[in-house]
Amino acid sequence: MKSHWHETIQRYVDGQSSAEEAAALLKGLNEDAELRALYLDYMNLDMALGAMADEAAVGENGSNRVTSLHEARVGSPPHYGRWTAAAAAALAVLVVFAMLPRGPKPLRTGHDVAAAITSAQVAIARLAFDTTSALPAWMSPTASLLEPPRVPE
Amino acid sequence: MPGLIDQQHDTFLRLFAEHEPAVRTFVRSLLPSRSDASEVMQEVAVVLWQKFAEFDASRDFRKWAFGVAHYEVLTYLRDQARDRHVFDDALVNRLADAAAAAEPRHDAQRDALEACLEKLPPAQRELVLCAYAKGTRIDGLAVQRGQTPMSLYKVLHRIRQALLECVQRQLAVEGPQ
């Protein structure tokens, strides 16, 4: 495995690739199983770091975020954060789907689902401001305000 | 049959809550950006619920959810086909197969990551978590630190590579997954 792929993959993940770099990476991913495995490991790392940052940052304001992040990591016993995040994620999922309509045809339209998810996001956002629970990105306060769910036609 | 519907509803909640992190990671693996993955994941959640009545309970929910997610990613990428630097169908299919096969390894890597983060110097740990915090813009963070965005990206790349090598070393010591 050539070491330059580490940098190439990360530039692509960060949206920093030139056209030539992106084309070379896509070609390599198509042809090289080992490169695909490395790429997937970086994507997994990217997801995991995002989840850890979310759980560390929820409830903090921007001005003391870095200090708070450090305190959140150092002050937490091992695995505490992950279990908190998992519990919060499960709770958020339960809230969303508990709000979906029940009946012989559980969903009449995509609009029902989107509305339920949006409502749940708002409800969860209110909860999130009062707790230190981390939430999945699509249920976060930011998502509820800035990025309404897409509605399937 | 309200009782049956309630039971179906509760079963879905339990299964989705259990497997959502794995499905999200699978979707992220097939898409080049976090925002794309977030958008597709919303669609996947909706479709899983809409099709849950057709789900055979004797089957593996996660595999079924991966299949639905795979299809939704392909649909999304076809809609984005104007961008020539996104994955084509053949590559998505290869990555989907590899991602499904790598799932136990990725679970173990996520478990190992916490210990590897703790091994980083505090300043690097704070930086990487800050860079990943929701709402953080790399250019803004670079200005705060008196760096150019390019130099900050390079620092982050070195930290991520160090983290990945750390989790890989740790899993190698623990044995095959």
Side-chain angles (χ1 to χ4, degrees):
Chain A
M1 174 66 60
K2 293 174 185 171
S3 61
H4 76 85
W5 284 125
H6 287 269
E7 180 73 12
T8 304
I9 289 170
Q10 294 195 71
R11 286 176 57 76
Y12 186 79
V13 170
D14 288 335
Q16 299 294 306
S17 295
S18 66
E20 292 74 20
E21 281 177 321
L25 178 63
L26 298 190
K27 183 172 184 293
L29 288 172
N30 261 312
E31 296 171 352
D32 184 346
E34 200 178 342
L35 180 59
R36 283 197 290 277
L38 180 65
Y39 171 83
L40 291 170
D41 284 355
Y42 268 114
M43 301 306 273
N44 188 47
L45 177 68
D46 189 67
M47 283 295 292
L49 285 173
M52 286 179 157
D54 283 351
E55 81 187 39
V58 167
E60 307 296 342
N61 65 48
S63 62
N64 62 354
R65 172 174 276 167
V66 171
T67 303
S68 302
L69 285 168
H70 175 57
E71 288 168 353
R73 301 304 317 164
V74 173
S76 300
H79 304 297
Y80 169 82
R82 183 182 307 133
W83 285 111
T84 303
L91 171 64
V93 168
L94 294 177
V95 169
V96 168
F97 286 99
M99 296 179 73
L100 294 177
R102 302 182 186 204
K105 288 187 177 178
L107 297 176
R108 285 170 297 173
T109 69
H111 291 276
D112 291 341
V113 182
I117 291 175
T118 302
S119 301
Q121 285 174 335
V122 172
I124 293 162
R126 292 194 186 108
L127 286 174
F129 287 126
D130 297 329
T131 72
T132 56
S133 298
L135 297 170
W138 66 297
M139 296 173 182
S140 71
T142 305
S144 72
L145 295 171
L146 301 179
E147 195 178 18
R150 285 175 50 210
V151 178
E153 297 301 331
Chain B
M1 306 275 281
L4 269 180
I5 297 300
D6 282 352
Q7 189 179 1
Q8 185 186 51
H9 187 264
D10 294 346
T11 302
F12 180 82
L13 290 180
R14 184 175 54 75
L15 290 169
F16 188 80
E18 181 182 348
H19 297 290
E20 191 266 353
V23 178
R24 182 175 292 279
T25 300
F26 180 79
V27 168
R28 176 68 181 99
S29 300
L30 305 181
L31 290 163
S33 83
R34 287 173 213 129
S35 61
D36 288 337
S38 186
E39 193 170 336
V40 171
M41 192 60 203
Q42 288 189 21
E43 201 66 36
V44 169
V46 170
V47 173
L48 286 174
W49 172 240
Q50 286 175 326
K51 294 185 178 299
F52 190 62
E54 303 164 18
F55 172 64
D56 176 356
S58 66
R59 290 181 59 202
D60 182 333
F61 180 85
R62 188 175 294 195
K63 282 185 182 168
W64 177 69
F66 279 10
V68 169
H70 186 171
Y71 179 81
E72 291 301 319
V73 167
L74 288 172
T75 302
Y76 180 83
L77 287 176
R78 282 171 196 148
D79 291 344
Q80 308 290 315
R82 62 187 179 277
D83 181 349
R84 62 196 171 90
H85 296 304
V86 299
F87 300 158
D88 60 23
D89 287 9
L91 179 53
V92 169
N93 293 337
R94 287 191 181 100
L95 285 171
D97 289 345
E103 206 198 337
R105 184 176 86 243
H106 287 163
D107 279 349
Q109 286 180 350
R110 287 194 292 272
D111 285 343
L113 179 58
E114 196 155 3
C116 287
L117 259 180
E118 293 298 327
K119 289 178 186 170
L120 281 179
Q124 291 187 10
R125 183 169 59 235
E126 290 161 12
L127 174 61
V128 73
L129 288 175
C130 195
Y132 271 88
K134 209 178 300 299
T136 295
R137 291 180 56 92
I138 293 297
D139 50 358
L141 186 58
V143 168
Q144 273 183 13
R145 294 169 51 86
Q147 289 179 283
T148 64
M150 187 64 74
S151 65
L152 179 54
Y153 273 122
K154 284 189 178 297
V155 173
L156 289 170
H157 292 174
R158 283 196 292 273
I159 295 173
R160 283 194 299 219
Q161 185 170 347
L163 284 171
L164 184 59
E165 288 170 354
C166 173
V167 298
Q168 288 172 338
R169 272 197 309 275
Q170 190 156 323
L171 296 186
V173 169
E174 290 171 3
Q177 300 299 314

PDB file of all heavy atoms in Angstrom, chain A residues 83-95 133-136 139, chain B residues 17 20-21:
ATOM      1  N   TRP A  83     -21.803   5.116  26.037  1.00  0.00           N
ATOM      2  CA  TRP A  83     -23.091   4.613  26.506  1.00  0.00           C
ATOM      3  C   TRP A  83     -24.107   5.737  26.603  1.00  0.00           C
ATOM      4  O   TRP A  83     -25.279   5.563  26.284  1.00  0.00           O
ATOM      5  CB  TRP A  83     -22.933   3.932  27.861  1.00  0.00           C
ATOM      6  CG  TRP A  83     -22.284   2.601  27.722  1.00  0.00           C
ATOM      7  CD1 TRP A  83     -21.044   2.235  28.125  1.00  0.00           C
ATOM      8  CD2 TRP A  83     -22.838   1.433  27.083  1.00  0.00           C
ATOM      9  NE1 TRP A  83     -20.777   0.939  27.784  1.00  0.00           N
ATOM     10  CE2 TRP A  83     -21.856   0.416  27.161  1.00  0.00           C
ATOM     11  CE3 TRP A  83     -24.062   1.165  26.460  1.00  0.00           C
ATOM     12  CZ2 TRP A  83     -22.066  -0.856  26.638  1.00  0.00           C
ATOM     13  CZ3 TRP A  83     -24.272  -0.102  25.935  1.00  0.00           C
ATOM     14  CH2 TRP A  83     -23.270  -1.090  26.032  1.00  0.00           C
ATOM     15  N   THR A  84     -23.634   6.936  27.025  1.00  0.00           N
ATOM     16  CA  THR A  84     -24.548   8.072  27.073  1.00  0.00           C
ATOM     17  C   THR A  84     -25.077   8.380  25.686  1.00  0.00           C
ATOM     18  O   THR A  84     -26.267   8.587  25.480  1.00  0.00           O
ATOM     19  CB  THR A  84     -23.793   9.303  27.627  1.00  0.00           C
ATOM     20  OG1 THR A  84     -23.264   8.958  28.891  1.00  0.00           O
ATOM     21  CG2 THR A  84     -24.718  10.495  27.741  1.00  0.00           C
ATOM     22  N   ALA A  85     -24.152   8.394  24.717  1.00  0.00           N
ATOM     23  CA  ALA A  85     -24.564   8.703  23.346  1.00  0.00           C
ATOM     24  C   ALA A  85     -25.505   7.641  22.809  1.00  0.00           C
ATOM     25  O   ALA A  85     -26.499   7.952  22.151  1.00  0.00           O
ATOM     26  CB  ALA A  85     -23.326   8.817  22.453  1.00  0.00           C
ATOM     27  N   ALA A  86     -25.190   6.380  23.088  1.00  0.00           N
ATOM     28  CA  ALA A  86     -26.041   5.301  22.591  1.00  0.00           C
ATOM     29  C   ALA A  86     -27.445   5.398  23.191  1.00  0.00           C
ATOM     30  O   ALA A  86     -28.450   5.239  22.498  1.00  0.00           O
ATOM     31  CB  ALA A  86     -25.420   3.952  22.930  1.00  0.00           C
ATOM     32  N   ALA A  87     -27.485   5.695  24.479  1.00  0.00           N
ATOM     33  CA  ALA A  87     -28.786   5.812  25.131  1.00  0.00           C
ATOM     34  C   ALA A  87     -29.568   6.993  24.567  1.00  0.00           C
ATOM     35  O   ALA A  87     -30.766   6.903  24.311  1.00  0.00           O
ATOM     36  CB  ALA A  87     -28.591   5.981  26.642  1.00  0.00           C
ATOM     37  N   ALA A  88     -28.849   8.100  24.360  1.00  0.00           N
ATOM     38  CA  ALA A  88     -29.523   9.279  23.814  1.00  0.00           C
ATOM     39  C   ALA A  88     -30.010   9.018  22.394  1.00  0.00           C
ATOM     40  O   ALA A  88     -31.102   9.428  22.015  1.00  0.00           O
ATOM     41  CB  ALA A  88     -28.569  10.478  23.832  1.00  0.00           C
ATOM     42  N   ALA A  89     -29.181   8.329  21.607  1.00  0.00           N
ATOM     43  CA  ALA A  89     -29.581   8.021  20.227  1.00  0.00           C
ATOM     44  C   ALA A  89     -30.805   7.125  20.214  1.00  0.00           C
ATOM     45  O   ALA A  89     -31.751   7.347  19.458  1.00  0.00           O
ATOM     46  CB  ALA A  89     -28.433   7.345  19.491  1.00  0.00           C
ATOM     47  N   ALA A  90     -30.798   6.117  21.076  1.00  0.00           N
ATOM     48  CA  ALA A  90     -31.942   5.211  21.137  1.00  0.00           C
ATOM     49  C   ALA A  90     -33.193   5.968  21.562  1.00  0.00           C
ATOM     50  O   ALA A  90     -34.275   5.790  21.006  1.00  0.00           O
ATOM     51  CB  ALA A  90     -31.650   4.073  22.112  1.00  0.00           C
ATOM     52  N   LEU A  91     -33.024   6.864  22.534  1.00  0.00           N
ATOM     53  CA  LEU A  91     -34.163   7.657  22.996  1.00  0.00           C
ATOM     54  C   LEU A  91     -34.699   8.514  21.852  1.00  0.00           C
ATOM     55  O   LEU A  91     -35.908   8.602  21.629  1.00  0.00           O
ATOM     56  CB  LEU A  91     -33.730   8.556  24.163  1.00  0.00           C
ATOM     57  CG  LEU A  91     -34.771   9.583  24.601  1.00  0.00           C
ATOM     58  CD1 LEU A  91     -36.005   8.868  25.153  1.00  0.00           C
ATOM     59  CD2 LEU A  91     -34.202  10.529  25.645  1.00  0.00           C
ATOM     60  N   ALA A  92     -33.777   9.142  21.120  1.00  0.00           N
ATOM     61  CA  ALA A  92     -34.203  10.010  20.030  1.00  0.00           C
ATOM     62  C   ALA A  92     -34.975   9.226  18.979  1.00  0.00           C
ATOM     63  O   ALA A  92     -36.000   9.672  18.479  1.00  0.00           O
ATOM     64  CB  ALA A  92     -32.978  10.672  19.400  1.00  0.00           C
ATOM     65  N   VAL A  93     -34.482   8.031  18.667  1.00  0.00           N
ATOM     66  CA  VAL A  93     -35.162   7.184  17.683  1.00  0.00           C
ATOM     67  C   VAL A  93     -36.549   6.818  18.184  1.00  0.00           C
ATOM     68  O   VAL A  93     -37.538   6.866  17.449  1.00  0.00           O
ATOM     69  CB  VAL A  93     -34.333   5.912  17.414  1.00  0.00           C
ATOM     70  CG1 VAL A  93     -35.145   4.903  16.625  1.00  0.00           C
ATOM     71  CG2 VAL A  93     -33.068   6.264  16.663  1.00  0.00           C
ATOM     72  N   LEU A  94     -36.630   6.466  19.461  1.00  0.00           N
ATOM     73  CA  LEU A  94     -37.926   6.090  20.013  1.00  0.00           C
ATOM     74  C   LEU A  94     -38.898   7.255  19.948  1.00  0.00           C
ATOM     75  O   LEU A  94     -40.067   7.091  19.608  1.00  0.00           O
ATOM     76  CB  LEU A  94     -37.767   5.635  21.463  1.00  0.00           C
ATOM     77  CG  LEU A  94     -36.976   4.342  21.650  1.00  0.00           C
ATOM     78  CD1 LEU A  94     -36.810   4.031  23.137  1.00  0.00           C
ATOM     79  CD2 LEU A  94     -37.666   3.183  20.966  1.00  0.00           C
ATOM     80  N   VAL A  95     -38.398   8.457  20.245  1.00  0.00           N
ATOM     81  CA  VAL A  95     -39.278   9.627  20.208  1.00  0.00           C
ATOM     82  C   VAL A  95     -39.798   9.840  18.793  1.00  0.00           C
ATOM     83  O   VAL A  95     -40.989  10.049  18.572  1.00  0.00           O
ATOM     84  CB  VAL A  95     -38.525  10.887  20.691  1.00  0.00           C
ATOM     85  CG1 VAL A  95     -39.342  12.139  20.410  1.00  0.00           C
ATOM     86  CG2 VAL A  95     -38.237  10.772  22.185  1.00  0.00           C
ATOM     87  N   SER A 133     -26.939  14.975  26.814  1.00  0.00           N
ATOM     88  CA  SER A 133     -27.013  13.833  25.916  1.00  0.00           C
ATOM     89  C   SER A 133     -26.625  14.213  24.501  1.00  0.00           C
ATOM     90  O   SER A 133     -27.012  15.255  23.998  1.00  0.00           O
ATOM     91  CB  SER A 133     -28.446  13.283  25.896  1.00  0.00           C
ATOM     92  OG  SER A 133     -28.784  12.853  27.175  1.00  0.00           O
ATOM     93  N   ALA A 134     -25.861  13.339  23.857  1.00  0.00           N
ATOM     94  CA  ALA A 134     -25.534  13.539  22.451  1.00  0.00           C
ATOM     95  C   ALA A 134     -26.650  12.968  21.590  1.00  0.00           C
ATOM     96  O   ALA A 134     -27.306  12.020  21.985  1.00  0.00           O
ATOM     97  CB  ALA A 134     -24.227  12.822  22.115  1.00  0.00           C
ATOM     98  N   LEU A 135     -26.848  13.547  20.428  1.00  0.00           N
ATOM     99  CA  LEU A 135     -27.904  13.092  19.536  1.00  0.00           C
ATOM    100  C   LEU A 135     -27.329  12.799  18.178  1.00  0.00           C
ATOM    101  O   LEU A 135     -26.349  13.410  17.768  1.00  0.00           O
ATOM    102  CB  LEU A 135     -28.971  14.197  19.392  1.00  0.00           C
ATOM    103  CG  LEU A 135     -29.690  14.569  20.679  1.00  0.00           C
ATOM    104  CD1 LEU A 135     -30.511  15.822  20.448  1.00  0.00           C
ATOM    105  CD2 LEU A 135     -30.580  13.443  21.137  1.00  0.00           C
ATOM    106  N   PRO A 136     -27.927  11.873  17.445  1.00  0.00           N
ATOM    107  CA  PRO A 136     -27.489  11.665  16.069  1.00  0.00           C
ATOM    108  C   PRO A 136     -27.647  12.959  15.278  1.00  0.00           C
ATOM    109  O   PRO A 136     -28.531  13.756  15.579  1.00  0.00           O
ATOM    110  CB  PRO A 136     -28.443  10.593  15.547  1.00  0.00           C
ATOM    111  CG  PRO A 136     -29.081  10.010  16.739  1.00  0.00           C
ATOM    112  CD  PRO A 136     -29.047  11.042  17.820  1.00  0.00           C
ATOM    113  N   MET A 139     -30.989  14.205  14.047  1.00  0.00           N
ATOM    114  CA  MET A 139     -31.979  14.591  15.050  1.00  0.00           C
ATOM    115  C   MET A 139     -31.479  15.759  15.891  1.00  0.00           C
ATOM    116  O   MET A 139     -32.087  16.099  16.896  1.00  0.00           O
ATOM    117  CB  MET A 139     -32.272  13.409  15.970  1.00  0.00           C
ATOM    118  CG  MET A 139     -32.908  12.261  15.232  1.00  0.00           C
ATOM    119  SD  MET A 139     -33.051  10.851  16.291  1.00  0.00           S
ATOM    120  CE  MET A 139     -33.750   9.678  15.154  1.00  0.00           C
TER     121      MET A 139
ATOM    122  N   ALA B  17     -33.372   1.093  16.548  1.00  0.00           N
ATOM    123  CA  ALA B  17     -32.487   1.680  17.564  1.00  0.00           C
ATOM    124  C   ALA B  17     -31.198   0.868  17.690  1.00  0.00           C
ATOM    125  O   ALA B  17     -30.113   1.426  17.850  1.00  0.00           O
ATOM    126  CB  ALA B  17     -33.213   1.745  18.906  1.00  0.00           C
ATOM    127  N   GLU B  20     -29.182   1.276  13.981  1.00  0.00           N
ATOM    128  CA  GLU B  20     -29.015   2.573  13.320  1.00  0.00           C
ATOM    129  C   GLU B  20     -27.546   3.003  13.188  1.00  0.00           C
ATOM    130  O   GLU B  20     -27.125   3.476  12.116  1.00  0.00           O
ATOM    131  CB  GLU B  20     -29.835   3.640  14.057  1.00  0.00           C
ATOM    132  CG  GLU B  20     -29.954   4.956  13.307  1.00  0.00           C
ATOM    133  CD  GLU B  20     -28.910   5.971  13.703  1.00  0.00           C
ATOM    134  OE1 GLU B  20     -28.148   5.728  14.671  1.00  0.00           O
ATOM    135  OE2 GLU B  20     -28.830   7.001  13.045  1.00  0.00           O
ATOM    136  N   PRO B  21     -26.707   2.861  14.237  1.00  0.00           N
ATOM    137  CA  PRO B  21     -25.305   3.293  14.075  1.00  0.00           C
ATOM    138  C   PRO B  21     -24.589   2.539  12.952  1.00  0.00           C
ATOM    139  O   PRO B  21     -23.818   3.136  12.193  1.00  0.00           O
ATOM    140  CB  PRO B  21     -24.681   2.987  15.439  1.00  0.00           C
ATOM    141  CG  PRO B  21     -25.828   2.986  16.390  1.00  0.00           C
ATOM    142  CD  PRO B  21     -26.980   2.423  15.616  1.00  0.00           C
TER     143      PRO B  21
END
